[in-house]
Amino acid sequence: MSARDAKARAVVIGGGIGGLLAAVALADAFDETIVVERDTLVDGQGFRRGVAQSPHPHALLSAGAEAMESLLPGLAKELHADGAPTNDLGNVLMCAGPRQSPRLQLGTRIQTFTRTFLEEHLRARVRALPGVRICDGTSAVGLTPDTAGGVAGVQVQDGDGARRWEAGLVVDAGGRGSRLRQWLPGLHRAGGIDQVVEGRVAYSTVWLDYDGPLRRDCPGIYEVGSAAHHGRGAGVVFCERDRALIMLYGRGGDMLARTAADYADAARVLRNPAIDDLVGRLTPGHRVYRYTRLPNLRRRYDRVRAWPDGLLVMGDALCVFNPVYGQGMTVAALQAIELRRQAAALRSDPAAARTVQRRLFARTSVPWRLAVSADTPWVAAPPLHSPLLRAALGRVNDRAVDDPIVRAAFLKTMQMSDPLALLRPRALARLLRP
């Protein structure tokens, strides 16, 4: 392959949400875009080995939904036609034990679905793009350096052996298992150190077939009261094909139910009638999916001065959020929007990668602050200000259940559609009153 042909190729490491969206972002600017995915991808195969959180609820925030629709027009209609419920964000049922929020029409539409459902639809759209190829069952095992210290391609391994793909741009969207530090160990020494905030959260999820009255006009349930006071919480997402995903979480390993009976006992502590009703439908045959070790982790590649030409990192390979807040897919979508803006510049000048990497990192700033603020009071050695932070978060959660103005601001903040909504005069006044 000539150097000119190689420059017209982009390789994306990782075929998850971030990698698929990166391929969409690059498709128009590069003659060929290859997505390298270690797993063998078969629609209808169920949970994918490379996505340990597949069985758990995944939330696409409103900001992320808008970004995905911009990248793939018509996606929302396609998802809805295949069964993904669409509802008003204000119909999310916020609860503090037996207290339940009244419905609130915000005019913001949200869709709810399982992770596998969304990924399969994205994969079908990406496969249909001209010049884009998904190579599953193929592992990226290293990077190919160029003579100037940049990246000139990817080394891969599949059933036919090892080979090398030259490329003008390599995007690492390989998730939290990214091996970039092993391939380029100098990145850490050059300033790409990690920020870690470990809230010690663990959670359990059960899938329930449910077509009861609650799901017909309610996208989900968010239990906030126990989370604010005891580090316990719950969430329910009503998804496609009459599925309800029920999640219980606890900090410090609390609420890690192993069986359906354990699940019922753990849910009873919350004193939430809506969740009790759903959990009461479980049988011993329902499987409980458990997940632990959920740190917020951000890799400071923006600080690396001698960033390699022709290399970018995005999605969970750059910043991992506590999944309870549902920010990962949205951040990947917002980064893909930025990547699409810069794709032509990256093709013509691989050195532009340094500037673009900083812009991709900037997309993590607001959600990082939100996630870290919520998790800081629960770390092993909380800072001195954590009691104040815990009290403030407790006030927000408590008021959001009963006060429609606070609830609207809370939902807009968490959906990243208006990150400063809780600091605006009307909402702030409601929070500060006795």
Side-chain angles (χ1 to χ4, degrees), residues 346-359:
L346 288 163
R347 172 169 174 169
S348 62
D349 180 14
R354 178 185 176 189
T355 299
V356 176
Q357 185 60 51
R358 289 178 175 175
R359 291 179 177 177

Side-chain angles (χ1 to χ4, degrees), residues 89 106 108 407-419 421:
L89 175 62
L106 291 178
T108 300
R407 185 163 73 259
F410 172 83
L411 290 171
K412 290 177 181 178
T413 298
M414 297 308 293
Q415 292 287 317
M416 292 172 55
S417 59
D418 183 2

Side-chain angles (χ1 to χ4, degrees), residues 32-207:
E32 183 182 24
T33 302
I34 301 174
V35 179
V36 180
E37 171 53 49
R38 178 183 58 188
D39 289 345
T40 300
L41 304 174
V42 180
D43 289 349
Q45 68 178 348
F47 308 136
R48 188 156 64 81
R49 185 184 69 173
V51 184
Q53 291 172 280
S54 290
H56 301 284
H58 282 68
L60 180 61
L61 308 183
S62 58
E66 291 177 6
M68 283 196 192
E69 187 68 18
S70 174
L71 290 162
L72 293 167
L75 178 64
K77 288 184 178 180
E78 179 183 317
L79 296 173
H80 182 74
D82 200 21
T86 303
N87 215 309
D88 189 281
L89 175 62
N91 285 331
V92 172
L93 188 63
M94 294 190 65
C95 307
R99 292 162 49 211
Q100 296 184 357
S101 63
R103 301 300 169 87
L104 179 67
Q105 293 299 307
L106 291 178
T108 300
R109 308 299 288 177
I110 61 170
Q111 284 185 306
T112 48
F113 34 69
T114 60
R115 160 68 184 251
T116 301
F117 178 86
L118 175 61
E119 192 170 298
E120 288 182 355
H121 279 269
L122 288 178
R123 198 157 58 231
R125 292 288 297 267
V126 170
R127 280 177 170 153
L129 294 173
V132 177
R133 183 159 47 110
I134 299 176
C135 295
D136 61 337
T138 304
S139 297
V141 296
L143 300 176
T144 303
D146 64 17
T147 56
V151 171
V154 178
Q155 301 166 35
V156 300
Q157 178 90 35
D158 62 13
D160 295 326
R163 62 185 182 277
R164 178 180 300 174
W165 284 329
E166 297 179 353
L169 178 68
V170 175
V171 179
D172 181 4
R176 63 186 65 206
S178 167
R179 300 172 63 191
L180 191 62
R181 294 282 181 79
Q182 299 173 37
W183 300 336
L184 299 173
L187 290 182
H188 188 86
R189 295 191 298 271
I193 58 176
D194 296 339
Q195 293 175 287
V196 182
V197 176
E198 172 60 86
R200 298 178 298 154
V201 178
Y203 61 92
S204 303
T205 298
V206 174
W207 288 45

Side-chain angles (χ1 to χ4, degrees), residues 182-394:
Q182 299 173 37
W183 300 336
L184 299 173
L187 290 182
H188 188 86
R189 295 191 298 271
I193 58 176
D194 296 339
Q195 293 175 287
V196 182
V197 176
E198 172 60 86
R200 298 178 298 154
V201 178
Y203 61 92
S204 303
T205 298
V206 174
W207 288 45
L208 175 70
D209 291 333
Y210 174 75
D211 190 25
L214 187 59
R215 69 163 289 130
R216 290 168 195 158
D217 60 354
C218 174
I221 303 170
Y222 180 33
E223 162 60 52
V224 300
S226 294
H229 299 295
H230 306 297
R232 299 177 175 184
V236 177
V237 180
F238 298 112
C239 300
E240 77 282 355
R241 297 159 195 159
D242 296 335
R243 292 167 175 151
L245 273 60
I246 311 168
M247 179 188 74
L248 302 180
Y249 69 88
R251 292 176 168 85
D254 193 14
M255 280 194 173
L256 257 185
R258 293 178 180 272
T259 67
D262 294 339
Y263 213 80
D265 291 339
R268 199 172 296 116
V269 175
L270 299 173
R271 300 181 299 111
N272 184 309
I275 292 177
D276 284 343
D277 175 66
L278 293 169
V279 172
R281 301 168 186 263
L282 299 178
T283 68
H286 279 96
R287 179 176 175 180
V288 178
Y289 300 95
R290 306 165 69 243
Y291 203 86
T292 60
R293 292 289 301 165
L294 304 170
N296 301 283
L297 184 153
R298 190 161 65 157
R299 296 183 170 98
R300 297 305 307 261
Y301 292 141
D302 60 306
R303 294 177 174 173
V304 178
R305 293 183 179 180
W307 182 256
D309 294 352
L311 175 67
L312 293 174
V313 188
M314 61 177 287
D316 282 2
L318 179 62
C319 187
V320 177
F321 301 96
N322 180 339
V324 168
Y325 309 119
Q327 297 164 319
M329 294 192 300
T330 292
V331 170
L334 295 174
Q335 289 175 332
I337 292 290
E338 185 64 43
L339 183 58
R340 183 175 63 176
R341 292 193 186 107
Q342 308 298 329
L346 288 163
R347 172 169 174 169
S348 62
D349 180 14
R354 178 185 176 189
T355 299
V356 176
Q357 185 60 51
R358 289 178 175 175
R359 291 179 177 177
L360 296 179
F361 178 85
R363 291 291 187 175
T364 70
S365 296
V366 170
W368 176 261
R369 292 191 188 99
L370 291 173
V372 167
S373 295
D375 279 358
T376 292
W378 311 103
V379 301
L384 293 177
H385 70 278
S386 63
L388 292 175
L389 186 57
R390 184 181 304 175
L393 293 172

Side-chain angles (χ1 to χ4, degrees), residues 405 408-413 418-428:
I405 292 176
F410 172 83
L411 290 171
K412 290 177 181 178
T413 298
D418 183 2
L420 299 178
L422 284 168
L423 298 179
R424 302 198 185 283
R426 290 186 69 196
L428 192 59

